[in-house]
Amino acid sequence: MSNSKQINRLRYLSTVLGMSFVIGFTGCGKTNDMSFGKTMYGVCDNTCFDELVGNDYIKLLSNLELYLECSDSLNNFSLEDNTISTDYRNCQLFDADYLLSLIEDYENKDYNTYSKDELNNILYIQNKLVNEHIYFNGYDVVSYGALMGVKASIADTVGLTYEEAKNIKIMNKKDFDTVATDFNPTININVGNDIVDIGKCSELVDLIYINYDVQTNASKVSPDARPVYNKDRNKLLKDAINKLKICLTSEYKIDQKRRIKNK
């Protein structure tokens, strides 16, 4: 990719994610503490993932990661239900960054924008809305990203375009469990007219495994549910996002036996 095309791609991604653009960035290493948005900004020139999922999805997953942070933080507060019916009029989930700023105000006892009671009531309602958002949308958002992350990592290693990556087939859980239980498993993935083995790449295997857990939980989502904070749910989604980030920031190679491994 030419330098000008790389810079334009980075500028566009920085706009989507609300980041400052800096020429001459350094790539991201394996880390679990870097946000998904910053991870993508660091690796977008080395993977077809962003082309595979689109910038709207990248923003969606970046925001979900922030909402998970909001959910955990709000759960630590002793928010009192002092709300009245008018507080719920036209209420909607705030932008994740704005909600985080209100959480910071509450933690710092900064009542310049809202009084203590107003801020308590706002966050009490937002706590309900953010957990609803995570419950009804989080599993599907994360599962799609995990699936595309596996496809992108394989395509990047083999040298496929993002259009070709779309056609990579990932086996269902039953078939995967059958071949992945061996001590030294061979896990063949159909890649067009080729077959590659990812059994030696623990990161891709881990991402597939956790995606099955996410999909299982997604199948249990009920439209009639009234979601509340769920520590295990949040941890599962955050772990899946972290495993996706690890795969996107890792470098893989393929040997003569068509096995994908870490470089």
Side-chain angles (χ1 to χ4, degrees), residues 87-254:
D87 291 330
Y88 294 88
R89 187 176 299 161
N90 298 322
C91 64
Q92 58 185 1
L93 180 62
F94 289 164
D95 174 81
D97 286 319
Y98 181 60
L99 182 52
L100 282 171
S101 71
L102 294 183
I103 290 172
E104 185 177 358
D105 287 346
Y106 188 88
E107 289 175 328
N108 296 331
K109 298 181 179 180
D110 181 350
Y111 307 123
N112 290 320
T113 304
Y114 296 102
S115 70
K116 181 179 179 179
D117 289 340
E118 287 174 329
L119 190 54
N120 175 91
N121 290 358
I122 288 171
L123 293 182
Y124 183 86
I125 294 172
Q126 289 298 308
N127 184 43
K128 292 179 177 294
L129 295 176
V130 76
N131 284 302
E132 287 178 0
H133 174 71
I134 294 170
Y135 175 78
F136 288 118
N137 303 294
Y139 295 120
D140 287 339
V141 169
V142 170
S143 179
Y144 179 74
L147 180 62
M148 293 301 108
V150 173
K151 292 187 176 187
S153 295
I154 294 173
D156 296 335
T157 305
V158 178
L160 302 180
T161 67
Y162 78 94
E163 289 288 352
E164 292 170 319
K166 293 178 181 178
N167 297 320
I168 294 175
K169 304 298 182 183
I170 307 299
M171 64 187 74
N172 60 45
K173 185 178 187 302
K174 182 179 179 180
D175 293 339
F176 190 84
D177 286 341
T178 299
V179 298
T181 52
D182 296 337
F183 177 75
N184 191 25
T186 296
I187 304 175
N188 289 327
I189 303 293
N190 292 322
V191 181
N193 296 322
D194 192 10
I195 294 178
V196 299
D197 174 16
I198 64 168
K200 308 298 185 295
C201 187
S202 61
E203 294 163 0
L204 290 178
V205 173
D206 287 348
L207 184 55
I208 292 175
Y209 263 130
I210 200 168
N211 185 41
Y212 290 142
D213 289 339
V214 172
Q215 290 175 342
T216 297
N217 280 272
S219 67
K220 298 176 182 178
V221 170
S222 169
D224 299 321
R226 302 184 67 178
V228 295
Y229 177 77
N230 186 309
K231 180 180 179 180
D232 292 335
R233 174 200 65 205
N234 285 12
K235 183 179 185 304
L236 173 63
L237 295 176
K238 289 189 292 185
D239 286 348
I241 294 172
N242 284 335
K243 290 183 185 299
L244 172 59
K245 290 187 287 188
I246 288 173
C247 287
L248 293 177
T249 54
S250 296
E251 293 186 17
Y252 304 117
K253 63 182 179 181
I254 187 162

